[in-house]
Amino acid sequence: MSSKEKKKASRQDKKLLWIRIGFLTVTFIALFLLSCVVILSVYQIRGKLYVCDLGYPVNPRDKNKPGVFDSLTLKEYESVTKYLFKKTNLSLVAFNEAFPNCSYIYMIDLLLPLKDAVLEHLDLGTRQPERTAHVVIVRGDRSVRRVEEYHVGPLHRLSYHIKVTNPSYTKSNIPYNFKPVDDVEYKFLYRILRETSEVLYPLLYESYGLSYHNCTKNVDCIIFHDISPRGIREGERQSWFGAYRDVEGFYLHPLGLEMQLDHSSRDVRQWYVYRIVYNGHFAYSPENLMERYTQGSIEKITLPFYEEKDTSYSSLWRRGNREMERPLQGPKLVEPDGHRYRVDGLHLTYMKWNMNMKMRSSSGLQIFDIRFNDERIIYELSFQEVAIFYSGYGPLADLVNTYGNSYMLGATSSELIPGVDCPETSTFLDSDHFVNSEKPFRAKNTICIFEDHANIPIRRHSSKDASGKFQSYGGLGNYKLIIRSISTIWNYDYIFDYIFYLNGALETKVSLSGYLHSAFPLYHEMRHGTLVHTNVVANIHQHLFHFKIDIDINGRINRYETVDFRTENTTRQWYSNARKQQMTYETKTRLTEYDANYKTKPGNQYDIIYNQYASSKFGSARSYRIVNNNKANFLLKDSDITQGASWAKFPLAISQFQETEVMSTSIYNGNGPWYPVVDFERFLQNNDTIRDRDLITWITMGLDKIPHTEDVPTISTVGSQVSFYLLPFNFFTECPSISSNSAVHISTDKDRNKVNVNTFGTPLTSSCIQKENKPSNFDGKTKPID
C-alpha cells in the first residue's frame, strides 16, 4: 500500500474513532439524564403518591356545644369571671394585682353533674345536665383568712353562685394556710430571698463563687426552690427554700444553704427569714449568720472544697463514648393505613372501645364512660394523688413530703415531645385551665394518643400432629391504644398511661423519671441516703399512687368477691391408697366496707367485681378482675405528716358510691397533712353495705426508692414502673379479640402439600411514607385559649 493510501486509511480510522467517541458520549449523557429523571420521579412518587393514609379523622371540639364531660370553654371561663367580679360581697381583686390580704380567684374548673343525671342523659337520651363551674376563691381579706369554694351556674345563663362545703370535708372552713402556695405569695417570697442574698453576698461568693441578686445567668448564679409542707404543725405557714447552683439539673447541686421564710402574716411587710442553716450551722437571721461567719465561729464551706470544675454531670447533653461510629435512626412506629382510632373533640373510639377524656387541673387525666362493644364497664377512671415521703437529716431533707395535688398535676402537665415522649405518629391534644393565673390558658400537647404494637402476640398457638408435623397456627399481635400524659412535680416526672387492649382488658401504668431530690452531705445525712456524686446525697423515699375506678358491670348493682387459693390433702380417685395435695379455691362475697378493705398485702387472691343478676350463657356471673401489680407496703402510716394520705394504708379498698366522695384527697392536703381536709379513711368508717350497690374501687400502688449512682443524671423508667389491670373474668363467652381482622391463621391442605395463609383481608405489606410530628415543633409555652 502506497503512503498516500496509508494516510487516507489513517484519516478514515481517526474519523471512525471520533464517531464512536461521540456516540458513546451522547449515549452516556442520555443515560445520565434518564437516571436523573428516574430518580426525580421516584422521589416525586414517594413524596406525593405514597404518603400513608391519615386513617380515621381527628375532629376538634365543638366549643359551642360542649359535652357533659368536656372541660370549660373560653366563653364559659370568661363568663364565670365577669359574673363573680360583679358580686360585691366577694371583693375580688385581679390575680396579678392581688396581695395575700386580698380576695382573688385561684381556680375555676368543671363541676361534674350528678351521676344519676349523667346516666339518664347518656342511656335514655334525656336533656344534657346543665353545666356548672367549681370555683376556688382565696379570701385573704377576711378577718380570719380562709379559702372558699363556690358552685357557679348554669353556664349557659349564669344566675347563681353558692358557697359550698363538700360533706366529705373534715372542716367547714378551709384554713388559708392549707392552700397551695401561689404566684401571689411567691412574688413576695422571692423578694425576701433577694434582699437576704444581698446581706449574705460575702458568704455566697467566698463559699461558692456564686450570688443571687447580681449574678450573670449561666455563669455564677444561685437559684432557690421551696418544698412542702409549710411547717411541722397546723397553723404554720413557714416555707423552707434550698439554694442550688443554677445549671441544667440544678437539683443535683445543693449548696448547703437553706432558709425558712415565715409568711403567715396577712401583711407582707412582716414576712421574714425565720431560720437559716449553712453547712449544718443554725441561725435565726441572715445578720446573725453573717456575724458568726465573719468572726470565724462556724465552719465555712471554702471554694476549693465545693468548687466543681465540671458541672455537666447533671446535664442531659450527650457525652461518653458513642455506641456506633455513625448515628443511625432507631425503629419507629408506622401506621400504614393511618390512625385506627377516631377522635371527636374529647371523645375517643378505638376498635370496640369508646370513652371520654378530661384533664382535671388538680390531679390530671380523667376518663369517663368507658365502654366495650357499646357496653359500659367503667363510669370513671381517674388518678387521685401521688405522695412522696422522704427521710433525711438536713432541714429540707427532713421535712420534704410532697402531695402532688398541691402542685396542680393537671395544669402543670408537660408538653409532650414527638419521637421521645410519644411516637411521632401520635395525635396530640391540648388542655385548658384556669388556675394560679390572671386568665385561662392552654397547655400545648399535654395528651397524646397512639396505637402501639408490643411486638409480642396477645394470643397464639402452633399445632402439630402426633408425628410432629405442622398442622396449623393462629395468632394476633398485641395491638393496643395508649392515652398518655406526663406530669412534672419539681424534680420528678410521672408518665401516666391508660392502655386499652383488644381482649377487653385495661391497664393503668405509671412510669417514673426525672431528677433525684438531693441534699448537702452533712454527716448524719448519710444514714438516710446514697452519695451519688461529690457533695451530693440522694435520700431514701417512697412513691405512693392512688386511683379511683367506678366500675359498673351490667349496671350499677354490683358485688365484690374475693377468690382465695388454698391447698387440700385428698385421695386420688382412680388409684387405691394414693394420696395427693392439690390446689383449690373458695369464694367469699364481701358484705360491708370493713369486710372488704384490708391494710396488709393479701396472699394469692383474686379481687372480683360482678353483677349477681347478669350471667353468661354458661351460668357464670359476668365479672371483671382487679390485679394490682405493685401493692404498697405503706411504711410511715403512723407519722403525723402522712395522715393526708390515709388512702395509702389500703392496697385495695371498696366503698359504696357517694356523690360527695369525689376524690380521696384535696388540693389542701399537701399543706395541711396533719388534719387533712379530706381524710380518705373516713369514707370507710360508716361501714356501708357493699352488697348489690354501686361500688367504687380505690387502688394504691407503691414504689420504694434507694437512690444509686446510675440515677445520675436522671432516673431511668426501666424498673421504675407500677401498674394495675382490669381483666374480663367470665364477662365474655370467648375472647373478644377473636373477631379482629388483624389476626393471622395458617393451615395446610388435607395432603399437607400446600400452606394457606389468611390475614382476613388485612394487607401485610406497605410502601408508604409516614407523616410525622417532629420534636422541632416544641416551644414549651402556654398560649391563650381561642
Side-chain angles (χ1 to χ4, degrees):
M1 182 182 294
S2 66
S3 60
K4 188 176 182 179
E5 291 175 335
K6 288 182 179 179
K7 288 181 180 180
K8 184 178 180 180
S10 176
R11 283 196 300 270
Q12 290 176 345
D13 289 342
K14 288 180 180 180
K15 184 178 180 180
L16 183 61
L17 176 62
W18 280 109
I19 292 173
R20 290 175 178 172
I21 291 173
F23 176 77
L24 290 173
T25 302
V26 171
T27 302
F28 175 79
I29 293 172
L31 290 173
F32 174 76
L33 292 175
L34 181 62
S35 299
C36 291
V37 171
V38 170
I39 292 171
L40 290 173
S41 299
V42 169
Y43 274 101
Q44 186 177 24
I45 291 171
R46 291 185 67 187
K48 293 185 177 180
L49 300 181
Y50 287 95
V51 173
C52 294
D53 194 297
L54 295 178
Y56 289 123
V58 176
N59 299 315
R61 287 180 60 185
D62 184 348
K63 299 168 188 174
N64 297 318
K65 192 177 180 182
V68 67
F69 300 115
D70 287 359
S71 56
L72 300 182
T73 65
L74 175 62
K75 181 179 179 180
E76 290 172 330
Y77 279 128
E78 290 179 339
S79 63
V80 170
T81 304
K82 291 178 182 178
Y83 176 84
L84 291 176
F85 265 86
K86 292 178 181 178
K87 304 303 173 183
T88 56
N89 62 320
L90 297 178
S91 305
L92 288 173
V93 175
F95 185 86
N96 289 349
E97 301 172 4
F99 281 68
N101 61 355
C102 293
S103 173
Y104 58 90
I105 296 172
Y106 174 69
M107 181 170 68
I108 304 175
D109 206 346
L110 175 71
L111 176 70
L112 285 174
L114 299 180
K115 183 177 179 179
D116 284 343
V118 173
L119 293 183
E120 285 184 9
H121 166 63
L122 295 176
D123 298 342
L124 303 178
T126 60
R127 182 179 177 183
Q128 178 176 317
E130 292 183 331
R131 286 167 62 81
T132 307
H134 177 78
V135 183
V136 177
I137 298 179
V138 176
R139 298 304 305 266
D141 62 321
R142 295 279 194 178
S143 57
V144 178
R145 293 186 297 168
R146 61 176 184 249
V147 179
E148 296 177 349
E149 297 185 349
Y150 289 83
H151 292 172
V152 183
L155 292 179
H156 69 281
R157 188 185 65 257
L158 291 170
S159 59
Y160 65 82
H161 66 293
I162 304 172
K163 182 179 178 296
V164 295
T165 299
N166 190 314
S168 69
Y169 286 4
T170 61
K171 301 175 185 297
S172 57
N173 290 315
I174 303 167
Y176 176 92
N177 290 338
F178 281 22
K179 79 174 186 67
V181 177
D182 54 33
D183 287 348
V184 171
E185 287 182 274
Y186 275 127
K187 63 185 177 185
F188 295 105
L189 288 170
Y190 277 99
R191 184 181 300 176
I192 294 173
L193 289 170
R194 180 181 177 84
E195 295 168 354
T196 302
S197 71
E198 294 179 17
V199 176
L200 297 178
Y201 180 75
L203 177 151
L204 297 177
Y205 221 83
E206 183 179 347
S207 298
Y208 314 114
L210 308 171
S211 64
Y212 181 70
H213 71 285
N214 63 344
C215 65
T216 302
K217 184 69 175 175
N218 298 324
V219 176
D220 61 348
C221 283
I222 286 174
I223 57 175
F224 289 97
H225 273 272
D226 59 326
I227 55 98
S228 61
R230 314 291 167 171
I232 60 171
R233 60 182 63 89
E234 184 175 4
E236 293 184 346
R237 192 94 172 149
Q238 298 167 341
S239 297
W240 278 100
F241 285 78
Y244 302 84
R245 186 185 298 268
D246 187 8
V247 294
E248 183 180 4
F250 66 86
Y251 317 92
L252 298 179
H253 294 268
L255 298 178
L257 176 66
E258 300 170 355
M259 290 184 279
Q260 188 178 31
L261 276 58
D262 188 313
H263 49 117
S264 56
S265 173
R266 63 191 305 115
D267 185 351
V268 296
R269 293 171 296 181
Q270 296 181 23
W271 293 8
Y272 64 99
V273 176
Y274 181 58
R275 291 182 175 92
I276 187 167
V277 174
Y278 165 79
N279 196 22
H281 297 278
F282 178 87
Y284 279 109
S285 70
E287 292 79 10
N288 175 250
L289 175 63
M290 278 307 304
E291 180 182 357
R292 294 165 60 193
Y293 180 88
T294 304
Q295 293 172 350
S297 60
I298 62 176
E299 182 181 358
K300 297 181 179 181
I301 299 174
T302 59
L303 188 58
F305 168 75
Y306 201 80
E307 186 175 30
E308 182 65 48
K309 294 180 180 179
D310 181 12
T311 60
S312 65
Y313 67 86
S314 64
S315 170
L316 295 177
W317 188 261
R318 199 208 71 80
R319 55 186 176 272
N321 296 326
R322 295 181 183 272
E323 304 96 340
M324 57 187 76
E325 292 183 5
R326 181 172 65 88
L328 303 176
Q329 294 187 67
K332 294 185 178 183
L333 182 64
V334 176
E335 297 177 323
D337 294 321
H339 300 325
R340 301 201 298 177
Y341 56 86
R342 182 190 302 271
V343 181
D344 293 293
L346 295 173
H347 183 80
L348 176 61
T349 304
Y350 170 67
M351 304 301 182
K352 298 177 182 179
W353 291 101
N354 70 83
M355 66 211 72
N356 297 273
M357 301 170 288
K358 179 186 179 298
M359 182 71 83
R360 182 161 52 193
S361 295
S362 61
S363 62
L365 195 60
Q366 299 171 279
I367 305 180
F368 292 101
D369 195 26
I370 301 174
R371 304 186 185 210
F372 191 88
N373 264 343
D374 206 32
E375 187 173 7
R376 182 178 300 109
I377 297 172
I378 297 172
Y379 177 73
E380 177 187 355
L381 169 60
S382 60
F383 180 65
Q384 299 290 293
E385 182 66 288
V386 56
I388 312 104
F389 298 126
Y390 288 83
S391 294
Y393 173 74
L396 263 69
D398 170 61
L399 191 60
V400 58
N401 289 280
T402 304
Y403 290 77
N405 266 253
S406 296
Y407 291 87
M408 296 293 123
L409 286 163
T412 58
S413 293
S414 302
E415 181 176 346
L416 304 174
I417 309 301
V420 183
D421 293 332
C422 308
E424 293 163 320
T425 57
S426 302
T427 296
F428 291 87
L429 302 179
D430 303 333
S431 58
D432 298 341
H433 305 278
F434 192 140
V435 61
N436 192 29
S437 63
E438 177 82 7
K439 299 177 179 179
F441 60 90
R442 174 161 294 163
K444 284 179 53 183
N445 296 348
T446 54
I447 301 171
C448 73
I449 303 166
F450 59 96
E451 185 182 8
D452 195 15
H453 189 309
N455 294 316
I456 187 173
I458 192 171
R459 54 175 173 79
R460 62 94 65 196
H461 183 67
S462 180
S463 179
K464 298 178 181 179
D465 63 15
S467 64
K469 293 182 179 179
F470 173 81
Q471 264 187 327
S472 65
Y473 167 86
L476 174 65
N478 191 18
Y479 299 100
K480 54 190 177 181
L481 185 79
I482 299 178
I483 306 174
R484 175 172 293 168
S485 67
I486 302 179
S487 295
T488 300
I489 306 177
W490 198 50
N491 56 311
Y492 263 110
D493 296 69
Y494 297 100
I495 304 168
F496 296 94
D497 286 344
Y498 299 87
I499 307 170
F500 300 86
Y501 294 91
L502 299 182
N503 66 340
L506 190 158
E507 179 186 6
T508 302
K509 181 168 65 175
V510 186
S511 306
L512 280 66
S513 190
Y515 284 91
L516 294 167
H517 176 78
S518 67
F520 189 73
L522 300 175
Y523 175 75
H524 295 289
E525 203 71 70
M526 298 302 299
R527 295 181 58 247
H528 307 285
T530 304
L531 192 69
V532 296
H533 203 271
T534 305
N535 300 320
V536 183
V537 175
N539 293 57
I540 186 174
H541 54 282
Q542 184 178 43
H543 300 263
L544 298 161
F545 305 90
H546 204 225
F547 285 84
K548 174 184 180 182
I549 318 169
D550 185 349
I551 303 177
D552 289 342
I553 304 296
N554 280 88
R556 301 171 65 179
I557 306 302
N558 291 169
R559 296 183 181 185
Y560 168 57
E561 175 183 86
T562 56
V563 182
D564 297 292
F565 287 79
R566 59 183 179 86
T567 60
E568 66 177 5
N569 297 310
T570 185
T571 302
R572 296 185 186 275
Q573 297 299 315
W574 312 107
Y575 299 88
S576 60
N577 300 321
R579 305 277 301 169
K580 72 169 183 176
Q581 185 182 58
Q582 65 181 8
M583 292 181 292
T584 185
Y585 66 88
E586 62 180 11
T587 62
K588 183 177 181 181
T589 299
R590 306 292 177 166
L591 303 179
T592 67
E593 291 174 338
Y594 278 177
D595 189 30
N597 302 311
Y598 50 83
K599 296 184 179 181
T600 58
K601 293 183 179 181
N604 294 333
Q605 174 180 296
Y606 275 28
D607 297 294
I608 307 295
I609 302 293
Y610 71 102
N611 189 320
Q612 173 68 15
Y613 307 103
S615 301
S616 71
K617 68 180 183 180
F618 305 117
S620 300
R622 302 186 71 197
S623 315
Y624 258 75
R625 176 188 168 205
I626 305 160
V627 182
N628 186 346
N629 296 315
N630 301 90
K631 295 170 184 173
N633 181 17
F634 186 27
L635 300 172
L636 300 174
K637 60 178 70 71
D638 297 324
S639 170
D640 61 345
I641 212 166
T642 66
Q643 297 311 299
S646 62
W647 44 264
K649 300 175 183 178
F650 304 92
L652 182 138
I654 306 292
S655 67
Q656 186 185 128
F657 171 83
Q658 304 290 341
E659 286 284 3
T660 57
E661 294 173 357
V662 179
M663 292 187 68
S664 61
T665 184
S666 76
I667 63 174
Y668 314 108
N669 282 26
N671 289 324
W674 309 278
Y675 302 99
V677 169
V678 174
D679 182 357
F680 173 77
E681 199 162 6
R682 292 182 54 178
F683 291 8
L684 312 176
Q685 287 176 350
N686 53 7
N687 199 27
D688 286 333
T689 179
I690 57 170
R691 179 186 173 99
D692 295 332
R693 293 293 188 273
D694 191 355
L695 303 182
I696 304 295
T697 300
W698 310 86
I699 291 180
T700 300
M701 300 182 292
L703 189 147
D704 303 330
K705 181 67 177 179
I706 300 177
H708 48 89
T709 53
E710 292 81 8
D711 290 327
V712 177
T714 53
I715 297 160
S716 169
T717 57
V718 179
S720 301
Q721 299 175 335
V722 295
S723 66
F724 68 85
Y725 286 98
L726 297 175
L727 304 175
F729 191 77
N730 299 318
F731 190 85
F732 306 103
T733 54
E734 62 179 351
C735 180
S737 72
I738 197 66
S739 65
S740 175
N741 287 333
S742 299
V744 175
H745 188 272
I746 304 174
S747 61
T748 59
D749 59 17
K750 64 178 183 178
D751 297 323
R752 300 191 181 173
N753 294 323
K754 183 180 178 182
V755 175
N756 302 308
V757 179
N758 196 328
T759 61
F760 306 100
T762 302
L764 287 179
T765 60
S766 173
S767 58
C768 65
I769 300 172
Q770 186 72 51
K771 185 176 181 180
E772 302 171 338
N773 297 292
K774 294 295 182 183
S776 55
N777 297 333
F778 175 83
D779 65 12
K781 299 177 181 178
T782 60
K783 58 183 180 181
I785 302 174
D786 51 26

